[in-house]
Amino acid sequence: MFNAIELSPLLITLKVAGLATCAAIVAGTALAYGLSRKSFPGRNWLDAFLTLPLVLPPTVMGYYIIVVMGRNGFIGRWLEQYFGISLMFTWQGAVIAASIVSLPMVIKSARAAFEGVSPDFENAARTLGQSEPSVFFRVTLPLAWRGILAGAMLAFARAMGEFGATLMVAGDLPGRTQTLSLAIYDAVEAGNDMLSMQLVIFTSVICIVMLVFSGKLLRTEY
Amino acid sequence: MTTRVCIKKTLASGNRRFNLDVSFSSRGYYTILSGPSGAGKSLTLRCIAGIETPDSGRIEIAERVLFDSENRINVPVREREIGYLFQDYALFPHLNVADNVGFGLKKMLRPLSMEDKRKVSELLEIFGLKEMAESLPRDLSGGQRQRVALARALVNHPSVLLLDEPFSALDHSLREKMRAELKAVQARFNIPVILISHEPADMRAFEGDIVEYSGKGAVHKTSGSGIRLFSSSGYSTEAPCHKIHS
C-alpha cells in the first residue's frame, strides 16, 4: 500500500521528531531541575520565556527562529561564516524548530516531577556521603523519571504534529523536509483523498498511543 | 566525644521572622533537644548535619570543627560523617531494604565490593531485616522502616547520630521497644546521639544532657548530669561562642 514516496514523510517525521525529543529531554530536564531547585533573580521571567512556544502561534516561533538562525541571524551568520552551513530549508532546521516548540512539554512535566521529590531524600543521600552529581543520578532522577518520560512522550507527539514553525524554517520539500503534517496538507490541497486519509489515521494512532502511555506513566507511583 | 554547638540563624518568610539562638555543649552519649514545636530544634539538627547553614557561630562534634563562621569553615554535608534519622525516615522509595542500607557505600555505576556487601548483610542481621532485604520501604511496618533508616545511617560509621523525633511516628507499644533498640545500637557502635524529643519517657530512658528550647527559638534553660552546659536566653548574646570553645 505504501510505496517509497509515501513512506518518506513518515521517515522524515520520525527522524525529526525523535531527534527533537532527545534535544528537548536533555535541555528540558536541565532547565526544569534549575527552575525547581535553584532560586535566582528572574526565575519567573525565565519560566515564562520558556513557556512561550506553548502559547505563541507556531508561525511566530518560526519567525523568531529565522531571525536567529537565518542567513542574517545572529547564530545563522556565525554558522555560515565558520562552518559554511545553513540550517534553513534542511531537515536539521526542522529538528531545531520541533525541539523548540516541544521543549515546554518536557520542562512542565519534569519540573512538576522534580518538585514532587522531597528534598529530604536528597538530604539523606548527602548525609550518606554522596556528591551532588551522585545525589542527582541516584536519587532525584530515579524518583522523577516517570514525569520526565511522560513529558518526553508529549514532546514527541507535539514534535510530530509540528506544522507552522517547520514550514517557515525548513519549508515543504518532498523527500527532504516534508513531514507527515506537511504531507497531509499537500495531499488535501492536491485532492489526493486516499493518501491524506492514510496519513491522518496513521498520525492519529501514534498520538493516541503516546497519550495513553504517558498517562499510564504519570499514574503509577511508589 | 565532646559536642559543642553555638549557632545563630534568622529565617524570614513574608513578615514573619524566626530567630534561632542556641548554645550548648555536651560530653555525654545522649543529648536531648526538647521544647515546643516550632522552637528550632529541627533547625538546630539540620544545621549540625549541614543541610542548613547558620548565619554565625560554631559547631564542633567529636573534636572536629564542622562549622565556624569566624574562620570561614563550613564542611559540606557529605564530608561531615553524620548519621541522620529523618522524622519520616526518608527511605529511598525506589530502592529495596538492602540497597537503602548499602546506599552510602555504593559509588555511581559500580557494584558493591564483597567487603561492602558483607557490611550490609551484617547490618541487616543486627537489625533483624534479613528476611525483608528485597522488600521496598512501602511494604514495611513503622518499626521496620525505622530499623532500615538506622541501619542506613550507620553504614558509613558516622561520628554522631542525629535523630529527629525518632519515636513520634510509632505507636506506644513499639516506642518502648525501639528505645531499647536505640540504646543497644548506641552501645554497640559507641557513638554520641543527639535526639529531638518532647517525651518525658525519652528523657528517662536516655540519661543525658537536656537542652530546653523556649517558644521564641532560643535555648532558655538547660540541665544535665553535672556536665558543663551553656545557654543564651532570648536574643541577647549572654553566652557568646568563645565561652564555649575556650
Side-chain angles (χ1 to χ4, degrees):
Chain A
M1 191 164 83
F2 290 107
N3 57 42
I5 297 158
E6 284 161 11
L7 216 56
S8 86
L10 171 65
L11 294 178
I12 291 168
T13 302
L14 291 179
K15 180 169 69 176
V16 167
L19 288 172
T21 306
C22 291
I25 289 173
V26 174
T29 303
L31 287 163
Y33 185 74
L35 286 169
S36 69
R37 285 291 186 272
K38 308 272 184 280
S39 152
F40 50 87
R43 187 172 69 164
N44 291 338
W45 288 96
L46 179 65
D47 187 32
F49 177 75
L50 293 169
T51 310
L52 271 185
L54 208 58
V55 292
L56 281 178
T59 45
V60 175
M61 287 316 299
Y63 185 87
Y64 281 135
I65 295 169
I66 291 173
V67 165
V68 176
M69 298 281 183
R71 287 234 153 76
N72 297 314
F74 163 65
I75 296 176
R77 194 182 304 163
W78 181 79
L79 282 175
E80 177 107 53
Q81 209 169 330
Y82 290 94
F83 300 99
I85 50 175
S86 170
L87 295 172
M88 295 298 108
F89 299 102
T90 64
W91 66 265
Q92 290 93 336
V95 171
I96 289 178
S99 50
I100 288 174
V101 294
S102 54
L103 186 63
M105 306 287 178
V106 177
I107 293 181
K108 291 282 162 200
S109 67
R111 185 178 176 180
F114 284 136
E115 280 168 358
V117 176
S118 158
D120 272 349
F121 290 134
E122 295 168 347
N123 287 329
R126 289 184 189 110
T127 65
L128 292 165
Q130 302 301 308
S131 62
E132 289 307 309
S134 171
V135 171
F136 181 77
F137 285 108
R138 294 184 61 198
V139 176
T140 318
L141 202 55
L143 290 175
W145 74 269
R146 283 169 190 281
I148 297 169
L149 199 62
M153 289 193 160
L154 291 177
F156 187 79
R158 176 74 185 81
M160 260 188 55
E162 222 309 296
F163 184 88
T166 309
L167 182 62
M168 288 186 73
V169 174
D172 182 9
L173 309 173
R176 287 175 56 203
T177 64
Q178 192 185 57
T179 59
L180 271 177
S181 46
L182 293 164
I184 289 166
Y185 178 80
D186 280 358
V188 172
E189 282 290 277
N192 192 342
D193 289 343
M194 189 59 199
L195 178 62
S196 57
M197 198 173 74
Q198 282 172 0
L199 295 171
V200 162
I201 291 173
F202 192 73
T203 311
S204 307
V205 167
I206 293 183
C207 285
I208 285 176
V209 169
M210 298 299 275
L211 286 172
V212 167
F213 274 97
S214 72
K216 254 207 171 85
L217 276 172
L218 281 176
R219 262 199 307 279
T220 328
E221 290 218 2
Y222 288 108
Chain B
M1 208 50 95
T2 320
T3 302
R4 294 187 175 99
V5 174
C6 169
I7 48 172
K8 284 187 183 150
K9 184 169 177 69
T10 302
L11 294 179
S13 110
N15 51 5
R16 285 175 55 221
R17 283 168 75 82
F18 174 79
N19 286 293
L20 176 74
D21 183 350
V22 58
S23 163
F24 63 91
S25 106
S26 155
R27 238 169 256 171
Y29 276 120
Y30 292 103
T31 308
I32 300 175
L33 311 184
S34 173
S37 51
K41 303 183 298 296
S42 281
L43 185 58
T44 306
L45 222 54
R46 294 171 89 86
C47 283
I48 296 173
I51 296 166
E52 301 273 352
T53 308
D55 296 336
S56 66
R58 198 180 142 92
I59 297 167
E60 193 187 317
I61 303 269
E63 325 303 321
R64 184 165 170 235
V65 178
L66 299 179
F67 179 80
D68 187 344
S69 57
E70 264 174 44
N71 295 313
R72 296 181 165 273
I73 295 171
N74 187 10
V75 178
V77 185
R78 64 177 181 277
E79 290 165 20
R80 290 198 178 197
E81 293 170 11
I82 264 164
Y84 198 108
L85 196 78
F86 290 84
Q87 200 171 348
D88 56 2
Y89 311 136
L91 296 178
F92 303 121
H94 58 302
L95 300 177
N96 67 26
V97 168
D99 289 342
N100 261 284
V101 172
F103 190 88
L105 296 171
K106 197 172 152 3
K107 301 270 183 301
M108 242 194 296
L109 306 175
R110 229 184 296 162
L112 283 183
S113 68
M114 288 311 283
E115 168 70 10
D116 289 342
K117 275 188 189 150
R118 202 185 48 75
K119 268 189 210 166
V120 171
S121 69
E122 191 186 317
L123 275 168
L124 292 176
E125 190 79 57
I126 292 172
F127 285 92
L129 297 164
K130 264 262 139 76
E131 284 89 70
M132 53 215 77
E134 306 290 319
S135 309
L136 285 175
R138 62 163 179 225
D139 298 324
L140 302 180
S141 71
Q144 288 166 342
R145 276 181 203 170
Q146 181 162 59
R147 287 194 197 107
V148 176
L150 268 175
R152 182 181 72 173
L154 289 164
V155 79
N156 284 331
H157 299 286
S159 46
V160 64
L161 199 52
L162 307 177
L163 312 174
D164 192 347
E165 301 202 29
F167 309 115
S168 62
L170 305 175
D171 61 49
H172 247 26
S173 54
L174 204 52
R175 279 184 200 184
E176 210 50 57
K177 201 172 159 221
M178 293 312 291
R179 278 189 196 108
E181 279 193 22
L182 178 59
K183 284 176 107 167
V185 164
Q186 194 283 325
R188 186 178 187 123
F189 291 86
N190 194 30
I191 54 170
V193 173
I194 303 177
L195 70 135
I196 294 177
S197 175
H198 317 274
E199 294 258 329
D202 286 338
M203 306 195 191
R204 280 195 301 274
F206 306 108
E207 283 172 43
D209 304 321
I210 296 166
V211 181
E212 190 83 39
Y213 283 66
S214 80
K216 287 178 193 146
V219 175
H220 131 102
K221 181 191 90 193
T222 58
S223 62
S225 43
I227 285 150
R228 193 169 58 141
L229 285 166
F230 287 92
S231 69
S232 66
S233 60
Y235 308 117
S236 71
T237 50
E238 268 172 61
C241 295
H242 62 80
K243 233 174 157 181
I244 280 182
H245 53 76
S246 61

